């Protein structure tokens, strides 16, 4: 009698087909009725498979006479990645066979899937360990080599294709949180967990004593300095990690975002953490007001976050980047006009491309009344400082401790 495959593996195969067949990101999971634990496991499996895609395809190639249909290929990829990362052979292989049997376009391949995955179970793990570190996609690799050199990009790739740790920002005492969760307190104040499992099952999630935020992503809000009692505009705010930081630091926060749907995520996050901010759905380019401080975490290629989002290179090939660079410039220009005299603005993008970071600040050279301030926050390293006065963070920084997201940030003062 056929056994039902695990709902998480089944949903992971569907997610892979969504990303690799339709170019839709993993975050687009609308309409999937899954228990929270299965949903988290499906996302984790799909993410790990995408991270291991190049290696899985290399291992599978000698076993395939011709390339099978995408769904079949994705079942094989999922099985290969699981088997090569310690998954129990019997459970993985039989689940993959049952998932194939349940689909019209894959049922005919279940014998082949069974045979191939049994071979992978036998010699895949040893072969996997010898495969080369995967490369970033060409459209991204070429400009990165031009900016950071081939050895720099190789160092980034060595980190990008490893599972990242989980970083948390504490609402209160970060040292106490690190101790309570058995994590490490990083020099910049984030708490790092190497093996976290399901996030919503961690102590303190329900009480909202912390939120998930990469250590690099936690820095822009800190660069605004002491914001207690100040009016602060979080100009591109959703899903709200930085809004939460600003609110927790006692600022009077206006959280603005173009997407009303994404703004709902901030509302949920504020509700969970018991923090407060004014939510505004609208286009930052026409927003009006005067603020003591502004955080502009501008929309960008997100190329600094590929280790957490290995689906991104499949959702776009860099074709939107020139439009994003233009939008970032326009947002920065408008934001500077919303600052009170002497007010401070932090510009940030989670991109590895200088066109989305350093170049915007260099272009301000001839803008009267704008000063680039030296970024100051606990734990900053001198090697992170860039020539034009910002901070350049790369995935290969703190590599031994698990790296960090790629980010650029700079502090500006008006008047
Ligand atoms: C990098 S994300 C912001 C992440 C957020 N700061 C955080 O820490 O959670 C960029 C955001 O900019 C928003 N956005 C894009 N264009 C915008 C515009 N013209 N006005 C306001 N928000 C915009 C997007 O909806 C997206 O939520």
């Amino acid at each position: 009698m056929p056994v039902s495959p695990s709902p998480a593996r089944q949903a992971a195969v569907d997610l892979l087909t969504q990303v690799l067949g339709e170019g839709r990101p993993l975050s687009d999971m609308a309409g999937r009725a899954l228990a929270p634990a299965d949903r988290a496991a499906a996302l984790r499996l799909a993410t790990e498979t995408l991270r291991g895609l190049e290696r899985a395809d290399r291992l599978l190639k000698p076993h395939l006479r011709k390339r099978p249909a995408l769904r079949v290929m994705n079942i094989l990829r999922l099985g290969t990645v699981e088997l090569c990362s310690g998954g129990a052979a019997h459970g993985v292989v039989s689940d993959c066979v049952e998932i194939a049997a349940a689909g019209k376009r894959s049922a005919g391949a279940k014998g082949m899937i069974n045979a191939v995955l049994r071979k992978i179970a036998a010699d895949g793990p040893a072969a996997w360990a010898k495969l080369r570190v995967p490369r970033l996609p060409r459209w991204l690799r070429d400009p990165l080599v031009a900016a950071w050199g081939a050895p720099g990009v190789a160092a980034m790739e060595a980190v990008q294709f490893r599972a990242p740790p989980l970083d948390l920002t504490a609402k209160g005492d970060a040292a106490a949180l690190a101790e309570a969760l058995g994590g490490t307190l990083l020099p910049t104040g984030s708490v790092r967990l190497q093996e976290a499992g399901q996030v919503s099952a961690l102590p303190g999630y329900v009480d909202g004593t912390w939120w998930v935020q990469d250590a690099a992503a936690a820095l822009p809000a800190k660069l605004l300095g002491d914001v207690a009692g100040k009016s602060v505009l979080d100009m591109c705010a959703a899903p709200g990690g930085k809004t939460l930081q600003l609110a927790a630091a006692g600022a009077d926060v206006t959280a603005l975002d173009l997407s009303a749907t994404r703004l709902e995520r901030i509302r949920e996050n504020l509700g969970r953490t018991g923090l407060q901010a004014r939510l505004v759905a609208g286009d930052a380019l026409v927003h009006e007001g005067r603020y003591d401080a502004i955080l502009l975490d501008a929309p960008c290629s997100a190329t600094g976050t590929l280790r957490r989002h290995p689906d991104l290179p499949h959702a776009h090939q860099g074709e939107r980047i020139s439009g994003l660079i233009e939008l970032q410039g326009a947002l920065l220009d408008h934001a500077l006009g919303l600052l009170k005299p002497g007010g401070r603005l932090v510009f940030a993008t989670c991109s590895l491309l200088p066109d989305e970071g350093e170049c915007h600040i260099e272009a301000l050279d001839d803008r009267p009344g704008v000063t680039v301030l030296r970024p100051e926050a606990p734990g900053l390293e001198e090697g992170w400082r860039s020539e034009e006065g910002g901070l350049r963070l790369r995935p290969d920084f703190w590599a031994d401790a698990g790296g960090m997201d790629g980010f650029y940030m700079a502090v500006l003062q008006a008047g």
Side-chain angles (χ1 to χ4, degrees), residues 235-242 257-259 262 282-284 297-299 327 331:
M235 202 167 179
C236 293
K242 299 174 187 71
D257 203 279
L258 188 59
S259 161
R262 284 171 63 82
D283 187 346
D297 185 22
L327 176 60
L331 286 167

Side-chain angles (χ1 to χ4, degrees), residues 189-200:
S190 293
V191 173
R192 177 158 288 189
L193 306 181
Q194 295 295 349
E195 298 283 337
Q198 190 189 332
V199 171
S200 57

Side-chain angles (χ1 to χ4, degrees), residues 213 217 234-245 256-260 262-263 266 269 280-287 295-300 302 324 327 331 348-350 407:
Q213 190 174 40
D234 189 358
M235 202 167 179
C236 293
K242 299 174 187 71
T243 303
L244 298 180
Q245 282 180 285
L256 170 69
D257 203 279
L258 188 59
S259 161
R262 284 171 63 82
L263 216 52
I266 308 188
N269 285 326
V280 181
D283 187 346
L285 289 172
V286 295
H287 183 75
L295 180 56
L296 170 54
D297 185 22
C300 71
L324 286 168
L327 176 60
L331 286 167
T349 53
C350 56
F407 244 98

Side-chain angles (χ1 to χ4, degrees), residues 235-237 256-259 262 282-287 296-302 319-336 345 347-349 355-357 359-360 364 367:
M235 202 167 179
C236 293
L256 170 69
D257 203 279
L258 188 59
S259 161
R262 284 171 63 82
D283 187 346
L285 289 172
V286 295
H287 183 75
L296 170 54
D297 185 22
C300 71
S301 62
E319 60 280 347
R320 290 168 45 234
I321 295 179
S322 56
L324 286 168
I325 294 168
E326 217 171 290
L327 176 60
Q328 291 150 10
L331 286 167
L332 178 54
D333 192 53
H334 188 68
L336 286 167
L345 182 150
F347 170 79
T349 53
D355 280 344
E356 296 187 278
C359 296
H360 285 301
L364 290 174
R367 185 165 171 139

Side-chain angles (χ1 to χ4, degrees), residues 86-125:
H90 177 71
V92 174
V93 177
S94 68
D95 246 23
C96 287
V97 170
E98 292 309 325
I99 292 169
K104 256 194 273 167
R105 270 171 290 162
S106 51
K110 61 180 202 167
M112 181 272 278
I113 290 176
N114 186 34
V116 170
L117 289 183
R118 280 182 190 286
K119 285 185 205 146
I120 298 280
D123 43 24

